[in-house]
Amino acid sequence: MTPWIDVAAEADLFEGAGIAIQPAGHDLALFSIDGEVFATDNICSHGSARLCDGYVEGYEVECPFHQGRFDVRTGAATCGPATEPVKSWPVKIEAGRVYLQLSA
């Protein structure tokens, strides 16, 4: 089984916003929404934009370059021009720390 990796303090996250993290060579974004934390790849599948810098509304993050949107829960593209999903990653919170399960 893939181990859980400590990537951030839950206190580092802000409601309705993303932050960038780089655990184990992965460029990822963490999002805190309604008391839950979600992790996706940080780079938009449509262009080289960082999703951590995008506008978050509900469970969607809007790419800051071309306004494509992704569901942070699943990584699914929800609005063009983005059509390909971004990878989402398993998250758990323990003792105020955010852990991700990173697989190859």
Side-chain angles (χ1 to χ4, degrees), residues 14-75:
F14 300 95
E15 177 67 26
I19 66 166
I21 58 169
Q22 288 81 34
H26 295 277
D27 187 5
L28 307 180
L30 293 179
F31 300 94
S32 177
I33 301 170
D34 290 336
E36 294 184 83
V37 178
F38 303 95
T40 68
D41 282 350
N42 196 21
I43 303 301
C44 175
S45 62
H46 173 259
S48 293
R50 296 176 52 163
L51 295 178
C52 67
D53 297 330
Y55 175 72
V56 177
E57 184 173 5
Y59 288 100
E60 291 182 325
V61 60
E62 183 177 276
C63 173
F65 279 5
H66 302 109
Q67 290 71 52
R69 289 194 297 258
F70 300 90
D71 187 320
V72 299
R73 298 169 295 186
T74 65

